[in-house]
């Protein structure tokens, strides 16, 4: 899916009526956000001066995502893309995360606060939305420049989210052990495998919301790539650690582990991923291992984290 070119609008006034073109651009950007098993577990509602994003509980994955953490991370990425589209349209959006018992499925409310021309960075990030995709294989051997690594670590603007690059050999080895453990557990989990099969589309490039591609069945996907099937080959830990050491790995953590923390983690991850795409990198987002309590506890212990690990981003060149 390619985003349409935005229609120029004036720089004054407040939004009262969303045009069909504005709605199309914003919903199209949200639809291109990464989501767990490509379930697209959200829906947008347009109001006079704000947009509400609701999580879709009918897209729940009880075996992969029993507490809905991945669903909220996905919603956070969709919020970020919607905000990006609003900025391209010349609106100044303000995001307020919601947890109203009267509307428990409302995740975020994006309010229009004024008008302003988008910056060059915002234009670049918006163009990257259409180019972003999940690369589940290994990367090329080209090393990433330190300046680019630092740039990506500073690419997000979401309060309450921390980014940590994993480069120390002991940290990478610990991650390899935990990823390998989670892969073994998930490969043997029949309920999880049935759920993954149910969300596997019989096409190479599924539409947004239609599940993951059946092409992954025929690819020998190693367990860091985000999909573990019954046929996934799980290498020895030394081999896995060696492969991980060649990638730029970014751990996303939050000080707490509530709904808002999960949404913020998704927003920050999407900002960093779009910055990486704009810099010519490929990447993917890994949450599967974080569903196992022992993996999250192991990361906290081995990496001496002060917060809660939510997801892992991996980047490299093709």
């Amino acid at each position: 899916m390619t985003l349409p070119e935005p229609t120029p609008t004036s720089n004054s006034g407040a939004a009262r009526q969303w045009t069909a073109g504005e709605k199309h651009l914003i919903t199209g950007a949200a639809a291109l956000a990464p989501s767990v098993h490509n379930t697209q577990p959200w829906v947008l509602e347009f109001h006079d001066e704000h947009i509400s994003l609701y999580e879709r509980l009918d897209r729940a994955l009880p075996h992969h995502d029993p507490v809905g953490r991945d669903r909220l991370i996905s919603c956070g990425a969709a919020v970020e893309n919607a905000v990006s589209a609003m900025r391209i349209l010349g609106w100044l959006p303000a995001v307020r995360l919601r947890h109203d018992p009267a509307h428990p499925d409302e995740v975020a409310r994006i309010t229009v606060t004024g008008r302003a021309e988008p910056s060059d960075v915002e234009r670049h990030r918006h163009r990257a939305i259409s180019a972003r995709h999940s690369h589940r294989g290994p990367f090329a051997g080209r090393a990433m420049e330190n300046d680019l690594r630092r740039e990506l670590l500073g690419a997000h603007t979401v309060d309450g989210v921390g980014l940590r690059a994993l480069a120390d050999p002991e940290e990478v080895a610990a991650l390899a052990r935990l990823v390998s453990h989670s892969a073994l557990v998930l490969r043997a989990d029949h309920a999880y495998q049935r759920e993954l099969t149910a969300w596997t589309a019989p096409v190479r490039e599924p539409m947004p919301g239609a599940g993951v591609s059946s092409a992954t069945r025929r690819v020998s996907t190693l367990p860091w790539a985000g999909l573990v099937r019954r046929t996934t080959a799980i290498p020895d830990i030394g081999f896995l650690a060696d492969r991980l050491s060649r990638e730029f790995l970014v751990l996303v953590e939050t000080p707490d582990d509530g709904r808002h923390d999960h949404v913020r983690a998704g927003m920050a991850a999407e900002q960093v991923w779009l910055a990486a795409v704009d810099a010519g990198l490929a990447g993917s987002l890994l949450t599967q291992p974080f569903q196992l309590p022992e993996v999250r506890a192991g990361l906290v212990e081995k990496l001496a984290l002060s917060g809660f690990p939510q997801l892992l981003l991996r980047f490299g060149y093709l």
Side-chain angles (χ1 to χ4, degrees):
M1 180 178 179
T2 301
L3 294 176
E5 289 297 319
T7 302
T9 54
S10 91
N11 289 327
S12 61
R16 298 293 178 184
Q17 296 276 332
W18 297 97
T19 68
E22 288 176 325
K23 290 181 179 180
H24 184 52
L25 188 77
I26 294 167
T27 57
L32 292 176
S35 65
V36 55
H37 288 2
N38 188 25
T39 56
Q40 304 282 296
W42 59 75
V43 64
L44 295 177
E45 281 191 6
F46 289 81
H47 302 272
D48 285 348
E49 293 184 5
H50 76 270
I51 301 169
S52 289
L53 184 140
Y54 294 87
E55 60 177 325
R56 290 189 57 174
L57 301 179
D58 62 322
R59 297 292 178 94
L61 298 168
H63 297 291
H64 168 89
D65 188 28
V67 301
R69 179 169 58 244
D70 281 8
R71 185 171 64 247
L72 289 171
I73 288 173
S74 303
C75 288
V79 167
E80 187 56 41
N81 280 11
V83 166
S84 177
M86 292 173 70
R87 287 295 299 117
I88 289 300
L89 290 165
W91 299 112
L92 279 175
V95 177
R96 183 158 59 97
L97 302 186
R98 303 277 290 171
H99 195 190
D100 184 353
H103 304 281
D105 54 344
E106 186 179 15
V107 173
R109 185 170 293 184
I110 313 171
T111 303
V112 172
T113 63
R115 302 286 285 173
E117 284 292 323
S119 67
D120 288 341
V121 169
E122 288 167 335
R123 294 182 190 277
H124 281 260
R125 296 280 176 88
H126 183 261
R127 284 197 292 268
I129 290 174
S130 295
R132 187 208 60 80
H133 70 279
S134 294
H135 176 71
R136 301 190 185 280
F139 299 112
R142 177 183 170 188
M144 189 182 305
E145 301 82 357
N146 288 332
D147 286 348
L148 179 54
R149 292 171 183 254
R150 286 190 289 270
E151 180 183 332
L152 293 180
L153 290 174
H156 87 86
T157 58
V158 183
D159 291 337
V161 177
L163 302 181
R164 175 169 174 171
L166 303 184
D168 180 83
E170 291 188 4
E171 293 183 344
V172 174
L175 176 65
R177 287 191 292 271
L178 292 168
V179 168
S180 179
H181 166 76
S182 70
L184 289 168
V185 171
L186 293 173
R187 189 174 67 175
D189 187 331
H190 298 297
Y192 169 86
Q193 291 297 332
R194 285 194 298 271
E195 189 172 76
L196 177 57
T197 299
W199 277 98
T200 299
V203 293
R204 179 169 291 277
E205 295 184 6
M207 294 293 291
V212 296
S213 171
S214 60
T216 59
R217 291 182 182 274
R218 299 183 292 275
V219 176
S220 179
T221 303
L222 293 173
W224 69 76
L227 293 174
V228 176
R229 299 186 183 276
R230 291 188 179 94
T231 56
T232 297
I234 301 176
D236 65 73
I237 292 174
F239 178 85
L240 183 54
D242 179 64
R243 278 291 180 87
L244 288 169
S245 68
R246 303 177 196 178
E247 304 180 351
F248 182 45
L249 304 170
V250 179
L251 183 72
V252 178
E253 64 175 317
T254 56
D256 294 302
D257 199 29
R259 285 175 56 87
H260 291 178
D261 299 285
H262 305 156
V263 178
R264 290 189 184 101
M267 294 173 66
E270 182 69 345
Q271 287 185 2
V272 176
W273 199 344
L274 294 179
V277 171
D278 184 53
L281 299 171
S284 63
L285 182 153
L286 184 62
T287 61
Q288 262 187 154
F290 296 76
Q291 295 297 341
L292 301 181
E294 64 270 26
V295 169
R296 295 183 90 201
L299 285 170
V300 171
E301 177 186 357
K302 299 300 182 182
L303 305 182
L305 301 179
S306 58
F308 293 83
Q310 301 295 351
L311 59 95
L312 185 75
L313 290 162
R314 50 185 292 269
F315 299 116
Y317 293 100
L318 296 183

